[in-house]
Amino acid sequence: MTLNIENFIASLKFMWQGMLCIFVVIGVIILSVYLIGAITAKADERKKAKQENTDNN
């Protein structure tokens, strides 16, 4: 097995682009999960407040 330095350096371009894409996708997934959790929490709060209002009347 031989190591061709020129090919290795050329492949670094693709390696950092791939790593960047992986981190971007992970970031999008994290943000999506956070937003879904926030929206669900707000919906639960509204539902709870509405239920308390109907129980008090």
Side-chain angles (χ1 to χ4, degrees):
M1 183 170 148
T2 62
L3 180 64
N4 187 341
I5 300 297
E6 291 177 13
N7 288 339
F8 178 73
I9 292 173
S11 70
L12 285 176
K13 175 184 173 185
F14 298 108
M15 288 171 42
W16 78 261
Q17 288 175 348
M19 290 297 291
L20 179 64
C21 289
I22 290 169
F23 286 122
V24 168
V25 169
I26 290 172
V28 168
I29 291 170
I30 289 171
L31 286 174
S32 299
V33 170
Y34 175 76
L35 288 173
I36 290 170
I39 291 169
T40 305
K42 279 191 175 185
D44 288 342
E45 287 176 14
R46 289 181 183 167
K47 185 177 179 181
K48 193 174 190 180
K50 186 177 181 181
Q51 186 177 14
E52 287 176 0
N53 286 338
T54 56
D55 289 344
N56 290 337
N57 292 332

